[in-house]
Amino acid sequence: MFKKSLGAAIALALTAGCGGGSDAASTGSPPEPSKPVQSQPSAQEKVKIVFSQGADQTEGTKKLIAAFHEKHPNIEVELREFPNDSSQMHDQLVTILGGKSAELDVINLDVVWPAEFAQAGFLLPLDRFIQESKLDTGKYLKGGVEAGAFSGQQWAFPRYNNAGLLYYRKDLVKEPPKTWDELLSQAEQLKGQGGTKYGFVTQGKQYEGLAVGFTELVSAYGGKIIDEKGQVAVNSPQALKGLNKLVQLFKSSAVPDNLNTFTEKETLTAFIEGNAVFARHWPALYAQANDPKVSKIVGNVGIAPLPAGDARSAAALGGWLAGINKYSKHPKEAWEFLNFIVSAEGEKIIAVNSTQTPTYLPLFDDAEVQKASPLFASRDFVNGLSSAVPRTITPFYAKISGQIQVEVSKAVAGSQTPEQTLANLEAQIKQAVAQ
């Protein structure tokens, strides 16, 4: 169903830091890859590996592990659950891996962690495993694969991802906007219709959501914060176009006067209560917007890829990847499990039972996957997901994101010019990378 649209979308659209104790963390380059010492159990010996992730409230992970055990009876997988709070999980993992512990083998990683964990020497490079297993990376969400790469190597592989989407009122919008200029125009014209108060709502508070919005606009206009060579590239004409558009959005009559207080929660509330024509949000909004118990707009919810700038449509990537602990005593078995959970079978189990968005693109043509969630059967959702771009790939993401939040807040508030904002960010990010 989606083969043509996926191909076209990917071709057009695809083009939060702690250090460890390794020397590489202080030199600014990842550790030299070393060949793992692979365990060689006897035919009867059963090897146990530990898989760590946030707590799963569904049956998905249990079914995933059970399916793996059927295929690999000599490998026992123990599930170690961490807090679902990403920051808490991050800090606990840093403590464990920083102590060179082998207690974990396969690790779930937030999309912004792989570069940091690779730099710190916590992860095994996956390139050799991928090549030997003939894993076709071209069939996976490109933004997800890119998020697991750093300094020329693949350190993690996408399991399930999400991306920002444009939500709109189908009863008010005849044709969803294709560009940010069209969005602004429609949002200003349609504001007030159908009982709405706002034309457009998004995340504008000084927190990670604002850094995400900045990343999306900069990418849409062809800019980058740090380029593929690791050079700071935020102070560019393309990035300036993206920031200018973000400032224009904040100044528009279409948005709430207090947009600088909006997080995902306020954005969701405004949209499902019928107060906004358009909203930028994550896939999780869709179910709530169609729930008659909480939503006033059931049946009138449309979704589309985020609008394009001069270069493309760009939606910030969210979700989780999987990597292997460098200190694992069973790297071969750890890879067998990782390879299974990102396979078509493994991703389908999670998609159907946990409704997590798969990254193996052919699964969106699978009838059982489509049945699991209306989103998975939506061409607009798949095209929107295909426009996902990783947030800045750097070991220092948390620090750089904080700098972006502060400086961009000043720009959208009008207390400093976009030009000064990018100059400040250039200097600060260079200093962060150098340190």
Side-chain angles (χ1 to χ4, degrees), residues 202-217 243 246 250 259-260 262-264 280 397 401-413:
T202 187
Q203 297 78 62
K205 187 176 180 178
Q206 183 179 311
Y207 79 120
E208 177 66 13
L210 183 60
V212 165
F214 174 72
T215 299
E216 290 175 340
L217 267 295
L243 180 55
L246 186 63
F250 271 73
L259 187 62
N260 63 348
F262 272 51
T263 65
E264 282 87 356
R280 181 265 175 226
Y397 179 81
S401 175
Q403 294 168 337
I404 290 171
Q405 294 166 34
V406 171
E407 294 299 325
V408 173
S409 287
K410 294 177 183 178
V412 298

PDB file of all heavy atoms in Angstrom, residues 202-217 243 246 250 259-260 262-264 280 397 401-413:
ATOM      1  N   THR A 202       1.850  25.110  19.299  1.00  0.00           N
ATOM      2  CA  THR A 202       3.025  24.253  19.290  1.00  0.00           C
ATOM      3  C   THR A 202       3.730  24.403  20.629  1.00  0.00           C
ATOM      4  O   THR A 202       3.231  25.089  21.531  1.00  0.00           O
ATOM      5  CB  THR A 202       3.965  24.607  18.123  1.00  0.00           C
ATOM      6  OG1 THR A 202       5.026  23.630  18.041  1.00  0.00           O
ATOM      7  CG2 THR A 202       4.563  25.997  18.293  1.00  0.00           C
ATOM      8  N   GLN A 203       4.882  23.785  20.770  1.00  0.00           N
ATOM      9  CA  GLN A 203       5.613  23.850  22.031  1.00  0.00           C
ATOM     10  C   GLN A 203       6.573  25.046  22.015  1.00  0.00           C
ATOM     11  O   GLN A 203       7.534  25.062  21.249  1.00  0.00           O
ATOM     12  CB  GLN A 203       6.398  22.559  22.272  1.00  0.00           C
ATOM     13  CG  GLN A 203       5.511  21.322  22.415  1.00  0.00           C
ATOM     14  CD  GLN A 203       4.995  20.780  21.095  1.00  0.00           C
ATOM     15  OE1 GLN A 203       5.759  20.364  20.243  1.00  0.00           O
ATOM     16  NE2 GLN A 203       3.672  20.770  20.910  1.00  0.00           N
ATOM     17  N   GLY A 204       6.290  26.035  22.870  1.00  0.00           N
ATOM     18  CA  GLY A 204       7.088  27.255  22.849  1.00  0.00           C
ATOM     19  C   GLY A 204       7.787  27.593  24.135  1.00  0.00           C
ATOM     20  O   GLY A 204       8.527  28.581  24.209  1.00  0.00           O
ATOM     21  N   LYS A 205       7.587  26.797  25.175  1.00  0.00           N
ATOM     22  CA  LYS A 205       8.237  27.059  26.460  1.00  0.00           C
ATOM     23  C   LYS A 205       9.736  26.801  26.360  1.00  0.00           C
ATOM     24  O   LYS A 205      10.201  26.039  25.509  1.00  0.00           O
ATOM     25  CB  LYS A 205       7.626  26.155  27.535  1.00  0.00           C
ATOM     26  CG  LYS A 205       8.098  26.445  28.953  1.00  0.00           C
ATOM     27  CD  LYS A 205       7.367  25.562  29.958  1.00  0.00           C
ATOM     28  CE  LYS A 205       7.834  25.855  31.385  1.00  0.00           C
ATOM     29  NZ  LYS A 205       7.094  25.040  32.384  1.00  0.00           N
ATOM     30  N   GLN A 206      10.514  27.436  27.242  1.00  0.00           N
ATOM     31  CA  GLN A 206      11.957  27.233  27.253  1.00  0.00           C
ATOM     32  C   GLN A 206      12.272  25.874  27.893  1.00  0.00           C
ATOM     33  O   GLN A 206      12.532  25.751  29.080  1.00  0.00           O
ATOM     34  CB  GLN A 206      12.651  28.357  28.032  1.00  0.00           C
ATOM     35  CG  GLN A 206      14.177  28.250  28.012  1.00  0.00           C
ATOM     36  CD  GLN A 206      14.840  29.376  28.764  1.00  0.00           C
ATOM     37  OE1 GLN A 206      14.518  30.542  28.563  1.00  0.00           O
ATOM     38  NE2 GLN A 206      15.769  29.043  29.652  1.00  0.00           N
ATOM     39  N   TYR A 207      12.243  24.836  27.062  1.00  0.00           N
ATOM     40  CA  TYR A 207      12.571  23.473  27.476  1.00  0.00           C
ATOM     41  C   TYR A 207      12.916  22.697  26.211  1.00  0.00           C
ATOM     42  O   TYR A 207      13.086  23.285  25.134  1.00  0.00           O
ATOM     43  CB  TYR A 207      11.411  22.837  28.261  1.00  0.00           C
ATOM     44  CG  TYR A 207      10.269  22.308  27.428  1.00  0.00           C
ATOM     45  CD1 TYR A 207       9.902  20.968  27.469  1.00  0.00           C
ATOM     46  CD2 TYR A 207       9.548  23.141  26.565  1.00  0.00           C
ATOM     47  CE1 TYR A 207       8.852  20.474  26.702  1.00  0.00           C
ATOM     48  CE2 TYR A 207       8.500  22.658  25.802  1.00  0.00           C
ATOM     49  CZ  TYR A 207       8.161  21.334  25.872  1.00  0.00           C
ATOM     50  OH  TYR A 207       7.139  20.843  25.105  1.00  0.00           O
ATOM     51  N   GLU A 208      13.014  21.384  26.300  1.00  0.00           N
ATOM     52  CA  GLU A 208      13.433  20.583  25.150  1.00  0.00           C
ATOM     53  C   GLU A 208      12.526  20.771  23.944  1.00  0.00           C
ATOM     54  O   GLU A 208      12.979  20.735  22.804  1.00  0.00           O
ATOM     55  CB  GLU A 208      13.500  19.105  25.545  1.00  0.00           C
ATOM     56  CG  GLU A 208      13.850  18.132  24.417  1.00  0.00           C
ATOM     57  CD  GLU A 208      15.262  18.307  23.872  1.00  0.00           C
ATOM     58  OE1 GLU A 208      16.070  19.020  24.512  1.00  0.00           O
ATOM     59  OE2 GLU A 208      15.538  17.733  22.801  1.00  0.00           O
ATOM     60  N   GLY A 209      11.242  20.990  24.204  1.00  0.00           N
ATOM     61  CA  GLY A 209      10.312  21.176  23.092  1.00  0.00           C
ATOM     62  C   GLY A 209      10.680  22.346  22.203  1.00  0.00           C
ATOM     63  O   GLY A 209      10.484  22.302  20.983  1.00  0.00           O
ATOM     64  N   LEU A 210      11.221  23.421  22.775  1.00  0.00           N
ATOM     65  CA  LEU A 210      11.631  24.570  21.964  1.00  0.00           C
ATOM     66  C   LEU A 210      12.869  24.234  21.142  1.00  0.00           C
ATOM     67  O   LEU A 210      12.978  24.633  19.977  1.00  0.00           O
ATOM     68  CB  LEU A 210      11.905  25.780  22.859  1.00  0.00           C
ATOM     69  CG  LEU A 210      12.267  27.082  22.126  1.00  0.00           C
ATOM     70  CD1 LEU A 210      11.135  27.519  21.201  1.00  0.00           C
ATOM     71  CD2 LEU A 210      12.592  28.186  23.132  1.00  0.00           C
ATOM     72  N   ALA A 211      13.789  23.477  21.720  1.00  0.00           N
ATOM     73  CA  ALA A 211      14.969  23.047  20.976  1.00  0.00           C
ATOM     74  C   ALA A 211      14.573  22.156  19.809  1.00  0.00           C
ATOM     75  O   ALA A 211      15.156  22.237  18.714  1.00  0.00           O
ATOM     76  CB  ALA A 211      15.936  22.302  21.898  1.00  0.00           C
ATOM     77  N   VAL A 212      13.553  21.324  20.022  1.00  0.00           N
ATOM     78  CA  VAL A 212      13.041  20.465  18.952  1.00  0.00           C
ATOM     79  C   VAL A 212      12.456  21.320  17.829  1.00  0.00           C
ATOM     80  O   VAL A 212      12.731  21.098  16.646  1.00  0.00           O
ATOM     81  CB  VAL A 212      11.988  19.483  19.503  1.00  0.00           C
ATOM     82  CG1 VAL A 212      11.181  18.857  18.372  1.00  0.00           C
ATOM     83  CG2 VAL A 212      12.666  18.394  20.326  1.00  0.00           C
ATOM     84  N   GLY A 213      11.631  22.299  18.193  1.00  0.00           N
ATOM     85  CA  GLY A 213      11.037  23.172  17.188  1.00  0.00           C
ATOM     86  C   GLY A 213      12.091  23.916  16.382  1.00  0.00           C
ATOM     87  O   GLY A 213      11.980  24.055  15.159  1.00  0.00           O
ATOM     88  N   PHE A 214      13.125  24.396  17.052  1.00  0.00           N
ATOM     89  CA  PHE A 214      14.236  25.077  16.378  1.00  0.00           C
ATOM     90  C   PHE A 214      14.925  24.134  15.403  1.00  0.00           C
ATOM     91  O   PHE A 214      15.195  24.493  14.243  1.00  0.00           O
ATOM     92  CB  PHE A 214      15.227  25.579  17.427  1.00  0.00           C
ATOM     93  CG  PHE A 214      16.493  26.174  16.865  1.00  0.00           C
ATOM     94  CD1 PHE A 214      16.484  27.407  16.230  1.00  0.00           C
ATOM     95  CD2 PHE A 214      17.706  25.500  16.999  1.00  0.00           C
ATOM     96  CE1 PHE A 214      17.657  27.957  15.719  1.00  0.00           C
ATOM     97  CE2 PHE A 214      18.879  26.037  16.499  1.00  0.00           C
ATOM     98  CZ  PHE A 214      18.863  27.271  15.861  1.00  0.00           C
ATOM     99  N   THR A 215      15.173  22.902  15.841  1.00  0.00           N
ATOM    100  CA  THR A 215      15.824  21.910  14.979  1.00  0.00           C
ATOM    101  C   THR A 215      14.996  21.651  13.725  1.00  0.00           C
ATOM    102  O   THR A 215      15.533  21.567  12.613  1.00  0.00           O
ATOM    103  CB  THR A 215      16.022  20.588  15.758  1.00  0.00           C
ATOM    104  OG1 THR A 215      16.868  20.832  16.886  1.00  0.00           O
ATOM    105  CG2 THR A 215      16.653  19.522  14.867  1.00  0.00           C
ATOM    106  N   GLU A 216      13.687  21.537  13.897  1.00  0.00           N
ATOM    107  CA  GLU A 216      12.820  21.257  12.752  1.00  0.00           C
ATOM    108  C   GLU A 216      12.828  22.394  11.740  1.00  0.00           C
ATOM    109  O   GLU A 216      12.916  22.161  10.525  1.00  0.00           O
ATOM    110  CB  GLU A 216      11.397  20.983  13.247  1.00  0.00           C
ATOM    111  CG  GLU A 216      11.276  19.656  13.988  1.00  0.00           C
ATOM    112  CD  GLU A 216       9.920  19.404  14.604  1.00  0.00           C
ATOM    113  OE1 GLU A 216       9.162  20.381  14.816  1.00  0.00           O
ATOM    114  OE2 GLU A 216       9.604  18.228  14.891  1.00  0.00           O
ATOM    115  N   LEU A 217      12.752  23.631  12.231  1.00  0.00           N
ATOM    116  CA  LEU A 217      12.739  24.771  11.297  1.00  0.00           C
ATOM    117  C   LEU A 217      14.088  24.952  10.618  1.00  0.00           C
ATOM    118  O   LEU A 217      14.162  25.206   9.409  1.00  0.00           O
ATOM    119  CB  LEU A 217      12.337  26.058  12.038  1.00  0.00           C
ATOM    120  CG  LEU A 217      10.856  26.435  12.036  1.00  0.00           C
ATOM    121  CD1 LEU A 217      10.373  26.746  10.626  1.00  0.00           C
ATOM    122  CD2 LEU A 217       9.989  25.360  12.643  1.00  0.00           C
ATOM    123  N   LEU A 243      15.284  30.115  11.716  1.00  0.00           N
ATOM    124  CA  LEU A 243      15.019  30.847  12.955  1.00  0.00           C
ATOM    125  C   LEU A 243      14.095  32.029  12.700  1.00  0.00           C
ATOM    126  O   LEU A 243      13.188  32.315  13.510  1.00  0.00           O
ATOM    127  CB  LEU A 243      16.333  31.311  13.592  1.00  0.00           C
ATOM    128  CG  LEU A 243      16.194  32.097  14.893  1.00  0.00           C
ATOM    129  CD1 LEU A 243      15.391  31.327  15.942  1.00  0.00           C
ATOM    130  CD2 LEU A 243      17.576  32.467  15.445  1.00  0.00           C
ATOM    131  N   LEU A 246      10.663  30.756  12.643  1.00  0.00           N
ATOM    132  CA  LEU A 246      10.196  30.433  13.991  1.00  0.00           C
ATOM    133  C   LEU A 246       9.776  31.705  14.729  1.00  0.00           C
ATOM    134  O   LEU A 246       8.723  31.737  15.387  1.00  0.00           O
ATOM    135  CB  LEU A 246      11.293  29.705  14.771  1.00  0.00           C
ATOM    136  CG  LEU A 246      10.904  29.182  16.161  1.00  0.00           C
ATOM    137  CD1 LEU A 246       9.806  28.132  16.053  1.00  0.00           C
ATOM    138  CD2 LEU A 246      12.127  28.599  16.875  1.00  0.00           C
ATOM    139  N   PHE A 250       5.946  32.899  16.203  1.00  0.00           N
ATOM    140  CA  PHE A 250       5.663  33.377  17.552  1.00  0.00           C
ATOM    141  C   PHE A 250       5.014  34.762  17.540  1.00  0.00           C
ATOM    142  O   PHE A 250       4.233  35.090  18.434  1.00  0.00           O
ATOM    143  CB  PHE A 250       6.943  33.410  18.383  1.00  0.00           C
ATOM    144  CG  PHE A 250       7.247  32.124  19.102  1.00  0.00           C
ATOM    145  CD1 PHE A 250       7.707  31.012  18.406  1.00  0.00           C
ATOM    146  CD2 PHE A 250       7.072  32.009  20.464  1.00  0.00           C
ATOM    147  CE1 PHE A 250       7.979  29.824  19.055  1.00  0.00           C
ATOM    148  CE2 PHE A 250       7.340  30.825  21.130  1.00  0.00           C
ATOM    149  CZ  PHE A 250       7.795  29.725  20.427  1.00  0.00           C
ATOM    150  N   LEU A 259       2.200  31.631  24.085  1.00  0.00           N
ATOM    151  CA  LEU A 259       2.777  30.439  23.466  1.00  0.00           C
ATOM    152  C   LEU A 259       4.072  30.033  24.160  1.00  0.00           C
ATOM    153  O   LEU A 259       4.442  28.856  24.157  1.00  0.00           O
ATOM    154  CB  LEU A 259       3.043  30.679  21.974  1.00  0.00           C
ATOM    155  CG  LEU A 259       3.495  29.465  21.159  1.00  0.00           C
ATOM    156  CD1 LEU A 259       2.428  28.374  21.158  1.00  0.00           C
ATOM    157  CD2 LEU A 259       3.849  29.863  19.728  1.00  0.00           C
ATOM    158  N   ASN A 260       4.757  30.989  24.777  1.00  0.00           N
ATOM    159  CA  ASN A 260       6.025  30.681  25.460  1.00  0.00           C
ATOM    160  C   ASN A 260       5.813  29.894  26.760  1.00  0.00           C
ATOM    161  O   ASN A 260       6.773  29.588  27.463  1.00  0.00           O
ATOM    162  CB  ASN A 260       6.821  31.949  25.742  1.00  0.00           C
ATOM    163  CG  ASN A 260       6.103  32.901  26.689  1.00  0.00           C
ATOM    164  OD1 ASN A 260       4.919  32.736  26.982  1.00  0.00           O
ATOM    165  ND2 ASN A 260       6.821  33.920  27.157  1.00  0.00           N
ATOM    166  N   PHE A 262       3.697  27.067  26.475  1.00  0.00           N
ATOM    167  CA  PHE A 262       3.123  25.820  25.958  1.00  0.00           C
ATOM    168  C   PHE A 262       4.145  24.685  25.894  1.00  0.00           C
ATOM    169  O   PHE A 262       5.222  24.820  25.302  1.00  0.00           O
ATOM    170  CB  PHE A 262       2.542  26.041  24.559  1.00  0.00           C
ATOM    171  CG  PHE A 262       1.117  26.510  24.536  1.00  0.00           C
ATOM    172  CD1 PHE A 262       0.710  27.605  25.293  1.00  0.00           C
ATOM    173  CD2 PHE A 262       0.155  25.864  23.760  1.00  0.00           C
ATOM    174  CE1 PHE A 262      -0.593  28.052  25.273  1.00  0.00           C
ATOM    175  CE2 PHE A 262      -1.160  26.298  23.741  1.00  0.00           C
ATOM    176  CZ  PHE A 262      -1.541  27.404  24.504  1.00  0.00           C
ATOM    177  N   THR A 263       3.769  23.553  26.511  1.00  0.00           N
ATOM    178  CA  THR A 263       4.498  22.300  26.339  1.00  0.00           C
ATOM    179  C   THR A 263       3.576  21.369  25.551  1.00  0.00           C
ATOM    180  O   THR A 263       2.543  21.802  25.019  1.00  0.00           O
ATOM    181  CB  THR A 263       4.828  21.659  27.703  1.00  0.00           C
ATOM    182  OG1 THR A 263       3.605  21.282  28.352  1.00  0.00           O
ATOM    183  CG2 THR A 263       5.593  22.625  28.595  1.00  0.00           C
ATOM    184  N   GLU A 264       3.908  20.101  25.487  1.00  0.00           N
ATOM    185  CA  GLU A 264       3.024  19.142  24.812  1.00  0.00           C
ATOM    186  C   GLU A 264       1.633  19.117  25.448  1.00  0.00           C
ATOM    187  O   GLU A 264       0.628  18.976  24.757  1.00  0.00           O
ATOM    188  CB  GLU A 264       3.628  17.728  24.853  1.00  0.00           C
ATOM    189  CG  GLU A 264       4.736  17.478  23.855  1.00  0.00           C
ATOM    190  CD  GLU A 264       6.100  17.872  24.371  1.00  0.00           C
ATOM    191  OE1 GLU A 264       6.179  18.423  25.490  1.00  0.00           O
ATOM    192  OE2 GLU A 264       7.094  17.638  23.670  1.00  0.00           O
ATOM    193  N   ARG A 280       1.166  21.329  16.197  1.00  0.00           N
ATOM    194  CA  ARG A 280       2.342  20.477  15.998  1.00  0.00           C
ATOM    195  C   ARG A 280       2.484  19.613  17.253  1.00  0.00           C
ATOM    196  O   ARG A 280       2.574  20.109  18.363  1.00  0.00           O
ATOM    197  CB  ARG A 280       3.602  21.326  15.808  1.00  0.00           C
ATOM    198  CG  ARG A 280       4.885  20.499  15.561  1.00  0.00           C
ATOM    199  CD  ARG A 280       5.637  20.263  16.844  1.00  0.00           C
ATOM    200  NE  ARG A 280       6.791  19.366  16.629  1.00  0.00           N
ATOM    201  CZ  ARG A 280       7.090  18.361  17.407  1.00  0.00           C
ATOM    202  NH1 ARG A 280       6.360  18.072  18.464  1.00  0.00           N
ATOM    203  NH2 ARG A 280       8.150  17.601  17.139  1.00  0.00           N
ATOM    204  N   TYR A 397      24.866  16.494  23.627  1.00  0.00           N
ATOM    205  CA  TYR A 397      23.538  16.961  23.250  1.00  0.00           C
ATOM    206  C   TYR A 397      22.839  17.715  24.376  1.00  0.00           C
ATOM    207  O   TYR A 397      22.243  18.774  24.145  1.00  0.00           O
ATOM    208  CB  TYR A 397      22.651  15.799  22.797  1.00  0.00           C
ATOM    209  CG  TYR A 397      21.273  16.289  22.429  1.00  0.00           C
ATOM    210  CD1 TYR A 397      21.036  16.856  21.179  1.00  0.00           C
ATOM    211  CD2 TYR A 397      20.223  16.268  23.349  1.00  0.00           C
ATOM    212  CE1 TYR A 397      19.795  17.375  20.842  1.00  0.00           C
ATOM    213  CE2 TYR A 397      18.976  16.790  23.017  1.00  0.00           C
ATOM    214  CZ  TYR A 397      18.781  17.336  21.774  1.00  0.00           C
ATOM    215  OH  TYR A 397      17.559  17.865  21.454  1.00  0.00           O
ATOM    216  N   SER A 401      21.552  21.410  23.798  1.00  0.00           N
ATOM    217  CA  SER A 401      20.117  21.657  23.809  1.00  0.00           C
ATOM    218  C   SER A 401      19.769  22.758  24.802  1.00  0.00           C
ATOM    219  O   SER A 401      18.933  23.629  24.518  1.00  0.00           O
ATOM    220  CB  SER A 401      19.365  20.370  24.164  1.00  0.00           C
ATOM    221  OG  SER A 401      17.981  20.614  24.287  1.00  0.00           O
ATOM    222  N   GLY A 402      20.400  22.741  25.963  1.00  0.00           N
ATOM    223  CA  GLY A 402      20.158  23.786  26.956  1.00  0.00           C
ATOM    224  C   GLY A 402      20.541  25.156  26.443  1.00  0.00           C
ATOM    225  O   GLY A 402      19.839  26.158  26.678  1.00  0.00           O
ATOM    226  N   GLN A 403      21.647  25.225  25.716  1.00  0.00           N
ATOM    227  CA  GLN A 403      22.068  26.500  25.140  1.00  0.00           C
ATOM    228  C   GLN A 403      21.070  26.994  24.097  1.00  0.00           C
ATOM    229  O   GLN A 403      20.725  28.179  24.052  1.00  0.00           O
ATOM    230  CB  GLN A 403      23.461  26.339  24.513  1.00  0.00           C
ATOM    231  CG  GLN A 403      24.555  26.066  25.523  1.00  0.00           C
ATOM    232  CD  GLN A 403      25.871  25.618  24.883  1.00  0.00           C
ATOM    233  OE1 GLN A 403      25.879  25.109  23.760  1.00  0.00           O
ATOM    234  NE2 GLN A 403      26.965  25.794  25.599  1.00  0.00           N
ATOM    235  N   ILE A 404      20.587  26.073  23.284  1.00  0.00           N
ATOM    236  CA  ILE A 404      19.591  26.435  22.268  1.00  0.00           C
ATOM    237  C   ILE A 404      18.323  26.959  22.928  1.00  0.00           C
ATOM    238  O   ILE A 404      17.760  27.975  22.509  1.00  0.00           O
ATOM    239  CB  ILE A 404      19.273  25.211  21.380  1.00  0.00           C
ATOM    240  CG1 ILE A 404      20.476  24.885  20.494  1.00  0.00           C
ATOM    241  CG2 ILE A 404      18.039  25.465  20.532  1.00  0.00           C
ATOM    242  CD1 ILE A 404      20.347  23.572  19.735  1.00  0.00           C
ATOM    243  N   GLN A 405      17.877  26.280  23.956  1.00  0.00           N
ATOM    244  CA  GLN A 405      16.651  26.700  24.637  1.00  0.00           C
ATOM    245  C   GLN A 405      16.745  28.139  25.143  1.00  0.00           C
ATOM    246  O   GLN A 405      15.812  28.932  24.969  1.00  0.00           O
ATOM    247  CB  GLN A 405      16.363  25.747  25.809  1.00  0.00           C
ATOM    248  CG  GLN A 405      16.039  24.324  25.384  1.00  0.00           C
ATOM    249  CD  GLN A 405      16.099  23.341  26.538  1.00  0.00           C
ATOM    250  OE1 GLN A 405      15.775  23.681  27.679  1.00  0.00           O
ATOM    251  NE2 GLN A 405      16.521  22.123  26.260  1.00  0.00           N
ATOM    252  N   VAL A 406      17.849  28.475  25.749  1.00  0.00           N
ATOM    253  CA  VAL A 406      18.025  29.825  26.308  1.00  0.00           C
ATOM    254  C   VAL A 406      18.090  30.866  25.205  1.00  0.00           C
ATOM    255  O   VAL A 406      17.375  31.883  25.228  1.00  0.00           O
ATOM    256  CB  VAL A 406      19.295  29.891  27.182  1.00  0.00           C
ATOM    257  CG1 VAL A 406      19.595  31.328  27.578  1.00  0.00           C
ATOM    258  CG2 VAL A 406      19.129  29.027  28.427  1.00  0.00           C
ATOM    259  N   GLU A 407      18.927  30.646  24.213  1.00  0.00           N
ATOM    260  CA  GLU A 407      19.143  31.653  23.169  1.00  0.00           C
ATOM    261  C   GLU A 407      17.920  31.814  22.266  1.00  0.00           C
ATOM    262  O   GLU A 407      17.554  32.931  21.901  1.00  0.00           O
ATOM    263  CB  GLU A 407      20.375  31.291  22.337  1.00  0.00           C
ATOM    264  CG  GLU A 407      21.688  31.338  23.113  1.00  0.00           C
ATOM    265  CD  GLU A 407      21.998  32.716  23.666  1.00  0.00           C
ATOM    266  OE1 GLU A 407      21.661  33.736  23.006  1.00  0.00           O
ATOM    267  OE2 GLU A 407      22.565  32.786  24.773  1.00  0.00           O
ATOM    268  N   VAL A 408      17.283  30.699  21.907  1.00  0.00           N
ATOM    269  CA  VAL A 408      16.115  30.801  21.034  1.00  0.00           C
ATOM    270  C   VAL A 408      14.947  31.451  21.776  1.00  0.00           C
ATOM    271  O   VAL A 408      14.159  32.197  21.180  1.00  0.00           O
ATOM    272  CB  VAL A 408      15.728  29.405  20.485  1.00  0.00           C
ATOM    273  CG1 VAL A 408      14.415  29.467  19.705  1.00  0.00           C
ATOM    274  CG2 VAL A 408      16.843  28.879  19.574  1.00  0.00           C
ATOM    275  N   SER A 409      14.842  31.227  23.079  1.00  0.00           N
ATOM    276  CA  SER A 409      13.812  31.906  23.872  1.00  0.00           C
ATOM    277  C   SER A 409      13.962  33.412  23.771  1.00  0.00           C
ATOM    278  O   SER A 409      12.969  34.151  23.677  1.00  0.00           O
ATOM    279  CB  SER A 409      13.880  31.474  25.340  1.00  0.00           C
ATOM    280  OG  SER A 409      13.397  30.173  25.515  1.00  0.00           O
ATOM    281  N   LYS A 410      15.186  33.884  23.783  1.00  0.00           N
ATOM    282  CA  LYS A 410      15.430  35.322  23.660  1.00  0.00           C
ATOM    283  C   LYS A 410      15.019  35.825  22.283  1.00  0.00           C
ATOM    284  O   LYS A 410      14.446  36.916  22.154  1.00  0.00           O
ATOM    285  CB  LYS A 410      16.909  35.614  23.899  1.00  0.00           C
ATOM    286  CG  LYS A 410      17.393  35.325  25.315  1.00  0.00           C
ATOM    287  CD  LYS A 410      18.897  35.572  25.430  1.00  0.00           C
ATOM    288  CE  LYS A 410      19.414  35.215  26.823  1.00  0.00           C
ATOM    289  NZ  LYS A 410      20.884  35.397  26.921  1.00  0.00           N
ATOM    290  N   ALA A 411      15.278  35.033  21.277  1.00  0.00           N
ATOM    291  CA  ALA A 411      14.936  35.448  19.914  1.00  0.00           C
ATOM    292  C   ALA A 411      13.435  35.550  19.725  1.00  0.00           C
ATOM    293  O   ALA A 411      12.931  36.537  19.185  1.00  0.00           O
ATOM    294  CB  ALA A 411      15.541  34.477  18.904  1.00  0.00           C
ATOM    295  N   VAL A 412      12.693  34.524  20.154  1.00  0.00           N
ATOM    296  CA  VAL A 412      11.251  34.552  19.945  1.00  0.00           C
ATOM    297  C   VAL A 412      10.570  35.573  20.846  1.00  0.00           C
ATOM    298  O   VAL A 412       9.466  36.051  20.545  1.00  0.00           O
ATOM    299  CB  VAL A 412      10.627  33.151  20.141  1.00  0.00           C
ATOM    300  CG1 VAL A 412      11.197  32.172  19.120  1.00  0.00           C
ATOM    301  CG2 VAL A 412      10.828  32.633  21.564  1.00  0.00           C
ATOM    302  N   ALA A 413      11.226  35.956  21.954  1.00  0.00           N
ATOM    303  CA  ALA A 413      10.685  36.987  22.840  1.00  0.00           C
ATOM    304  C   ALA A 413      11.001  38.389  22.325  1.00  0.00           C
ATOM    305  O   ALA A 413      10.436  39.375  22.798  1.00  0.00           O
ATOM    306  CB  ALA A 413      11.228  36.811  24.250  1.00  0.00           C
TER     307      ALA A 413
END
